[in-house]
Amino acid sequence: MSRSAHPAGPRHGDVLPEGHYTPPPSDLNSLDPRVWAQTVERTAEGALRVGGVDVRRLAEEFGTPAYVMDENDFRARCRAWREAFGPDADVFYAGKAFLSRAVVRWLHEEGLNLDVCSGGELATALAAGMPPERIALHGNNKSMEEITRAVEAGVGRIVVDSFQEIARVAHVARRLGRRQPVQIRVTVGVEAHTHEFIATAHEDQKFGLALAGGQAAEAVRRVLGLESLELTGIHSHIGSQIFDMAGFEVSARRVVGLLTEVRDEHGVELPEIDLGGGLGIAYTSEDDPREPHEIAKALGDIVTRECEAAGLAVPRLSVEPGRAIVGPTAFTLYEVGTVKELEGLRTYVSVDGGMSDNIRTALYDAEYSVTLASRASEAEPMLSRVVGKHCESGDIVVRDAFLPADLAPGDLLAVPATGAYCRSMASNYNHALRPPVIAVRDGEARTIVRRETEEDLLRLDVG
Ligand code: LLP
């Protein structure tokens, strides 16, 4: 997670309480384009507008809290990834970051493929018309039902994650009279520099088959020996919210190393490699993410170089960005309920959502930024903590941020870069109703995922 290395105060000489905060911008009304969706702007009147729609209108029409997603920005990011990787590579959007039928249609229209990791995500993809051959199924413990549904639907790729699963997929494919394309998920032994919970390529964790010790090579032997499986390639995903390309380079090198071993042992050149997702985005102005074209060039160069050195034909590359596509496209719109100043400490600003719509701050110590969205203000910066309405003191949305000192109940706040892993990890804690996702585009706003209702909660409660 990002961390500001430069705690700074609102006024020169102030001693601030312990914390990690991005220094206040010289103008609290300014919007750093790195953390906001492309069409977000502050109007002359002072309120934010996105996709040509004023946030006050959004709050009135759809209520708060709400995730507000900039559809044009989402599509532009899809195109940027596709164009950066070009026709010889595939971009699989990782649905776990956020998935809905509208998103599946946008992906389809923009020429992206889709990575799903559960029966529910697969059902959403198919319901919205994603061609099955453009879907990849992931997961470290796929059920027989999920495997069966995927093989039956004809998904283009199942990424197998264990010896048991190789046998299960082979069995299902045989029973259905299919030859199922699979990739093998390997762990390359890279320590990704990110939060422990979202690093996935070091050896001591649940995903994949390790290159070290020969498990991955054994998996290749087994898959090649099964008639009903077609081994198309090797998959590696090293973690999430990563800025440093070095881990991807090591991963690419080791995956190509395995392709070389496979060629030498079996005389087979596998035609695909997938280097996963994990590219970081800016949550605050301190973060400096790489652009898709820089990522594509770095990965393409290393794969080409390693393959040439090994005398291998360059395989078709695929990547699986989730956060880097959807993360920056949305912000969460909240209404301020209470403002409580703790003398000498900070001001607690309570909003009408919290850890049920954004668990990332509590779970990963993630940092976010925040701005007053319903108006501009020239008031002094006030060191604030934006908290939710749940019954826990860890219910924090933005740990440390500067908001204007005239902030008052009824003001709207916007927390940017909440498009990824916020709605998709939302919960009903305290019987909170999960917020809607509102898509805005060219002056129009529409609900793509509706707000949960008390009837929705009670419908599940059949006791
Ligand atoms: N491919 C695979 C196999 C993955 O497991 C993941 C994410 C991705 C692609 C997409 O990674 P992305 O590009 O979005 O970083 N809940 C955590 C993130 C967990 C990521 C899990 N796997 C968070 O909120 O930061």
Side-chain angles (χ1 to χ4, degrees):
M1 300 292 103
S2 63
R3 279 236 170 281
S4 165
H6 322 284
R11 282 175 294 269
H12 183 70
D14 269 4
V15 179
L16 286 170
E18 215 178 297
H20 305 275
Y21 29 84
T22 305
S26 47
D27 173 8
L28 282 184
N29 302 309
S30 68
L31 300 168
D32 181 341
R34 264 185 305 193
V35 299
W36 291 94
Q38 274 167 22
T39 69
V40 176
E41 57 190 340
R42 202 177 279 279
T43 63
E45 251 182 84
L48 295 199
R49 189 158 61 189
V50 54
V53 187
D54 189 306
V55 293
R56 292 168 302 181
R57 191 189 120 197
L58 290 172
E60 221 176 273
E61 199 172 319
F62 301 99
T64 55
Y67 305 101
V68 181
M69 188 168 283
D70 180 341
E71 178 180 341
N72 282 337
D73 189 25
F74 186 98
R75 289 175 179 273
R77 286 175 201 277
C78 290
R79 285 197 291 275
W81 277 84
R82 269 232 51 72
E83 281 158 21
F85 279 85
D88 298 329
D90 296 302
V91 180
F92 284 74
Y93 168 77
K96 57 190 71 98
F98 172 68
L99 199 64
S100 76
R101 283 197 263 220
V103 159
V104 174
R105 288 194 294 269
W106 302 342
L107 293 166
H108 188 186
E109 286 164 18
E110 300 299 342
L112 266 67
N113 295 0
L114 177 59
D115 137 20
V116 299
C117 67
S118 69
E121 288 187 0
L122 177 60
T124 305
L126 294 172
M130 181 57 91
E133 64 277 11
R134 283 170 50 189
I135 300 175
L137 177 66
H138 272 280
N140 68 301
N141 186 18
K142 306 169 189 75
S143 68
M144 282 302 271
E145 201 194 331
E146 287 168 324
I147 293 169
T148 305
R149 234 193 305 160
V151 176
E152 257 170 5
V155 301
R157 169 187 299 179
I158 295 182
V159 182
V160 292
D161 193 277
S162 65
F163 293 130
Q164 287 92 343
E165 196 172 272
I166 291 170
R168 286 176 196 153
V169 177
H171 172 77
V172 170
R174 195 167 48 245
R175 188 161 47 78
L176 294 172
R178 300 284 178 86
R179 186 147 194 262
Q180 177 61 47
V182 298
Q183 288 191 342
I184 295 171
R185 165 94 178 244
V186 303
T187 38
V188 293
V190 174
E191 297 280 344
H193 297 286
T194 186
H195 193 284
E196 179 197 352
F197 294 177
I198 51 177
T200 52
H202 52 298
E203 267 127 30
D204 188 3
Q205 44 82 32
K206 68 174 183 168
F207 294 106
L209 292 143
L211 285 179
Q215 281 203 326
E218 174 58 20
V220 170
R221 264 171 232 127
R222 293 196 192 181
V223 174
L224 287 176
L226 290 160
E227 266 298 295
S228 60
L229 301 184
E230 178 195 352
L231 181 60
T232 61
I234 302 297
H235 184 288
S236 161
H237 169 76
I238 60 171
S240 203
Q241 185 59 1
I242 299 166
F243 290 105
D244 184 355
M245 292 304 291
F248 289 98
E249 296 198 2
V250 176
S251 166
R253 199 168 303 131
R254 294 190 181 162
V255 167
V256 174
L258 179 61
L259 293 192
T260 313
E261 277 176 43
V262 171
R263 186 227 16 225
D264 295 346
E265 183 179 338
H266 304 280
V268 175
E269 286 200 26
L270 298 179
E272 295 172 357
I273 65 176
D274 188 310
L275 294 175
L279 285 313
I281 62 163
Y283 285 99
T284 75
S285 300
E286 307 282 290
D287 297 323
D288 185 20
R290 305 274 71 78
E291 294 291 329
H293 67 267
E294 299 173 81
I295 296 159
K297 177 154 178 20
L299 297 182
D301 284 355
I302 182 92
V303 170
T304 306
R305 200 163 59 236
E306 294 296 314
C307 287
E308 277 170 4
L312 284 170
V314 179
R316 189 172 179 85
L317 177 64
S318 52
V319 285
E320 296 171 339
R323 187 191 321 262
I325 290 179
V326 72
T329 68
F331 60 82
T332 313
L333 191 62
Y334 298 104
E335 186 179 298
V336 174
T338 67
V339 179
K340 197 182 277 179
E341 190 188 340
L342 301 191
E343 197 56 48
L345 278 174
R346 57 172 59 76
T347 297
Y348 278 79
V349 176
S350 296
V351 294
D352 49 357
M355 65 196 300
S356 55
D357 58 72
N358 186 350
I359 189 65
R360 300 193 65 262
T361 307
L363 191 55
Y364 313 119
D365 224 4
E367 289 200 357
Y368 282 91
S369 14
V370 56
T371 199
L372 172 56
S374 43
R375 62 187 172 92
S377 167
E378 298 310 320
E380 284 286 289
M382 159 178 90
L383 180 59
S384 310
R385 179 160 288 174
V386 180
V387 296
K389 58 182 290 167
H390 296 282
C391 302
E392 295 219 13
S393 46
D395 172 26
I396 296 168
V397 180
V398 186
R399 193 173 301 282
D400 294 293
F402 290 93
L403 285 166
D406 63 352
L407 195 74
D411 278 332
L412 298 176
L413 294 183
V415 174
T418 58
Y421 304 110
C422 286
R423 180 60 179 79
S424 67
M425 294 174 81
S427 77
N428 290 123
Y429 184 41
N430 299 146
H431 281 201
L433 304 170
R434 286 179 295 175
V437 182
I438 310 300
V440 290
R441 182 186 184 180
D442 305 333
E444 305 278 333
R446 68 188 172 104
T447 304
I448 59 170
V449 178
R450 73 160 167 79
R451 185 183 302 284
E452 244 169 357
T453 62
E454 287 172 4
E455 292 73 58
D456 290 328
L457 290 184
L458 288 167
R459 200 169 298 142
L460 298 180
D461 184 340
V462 293

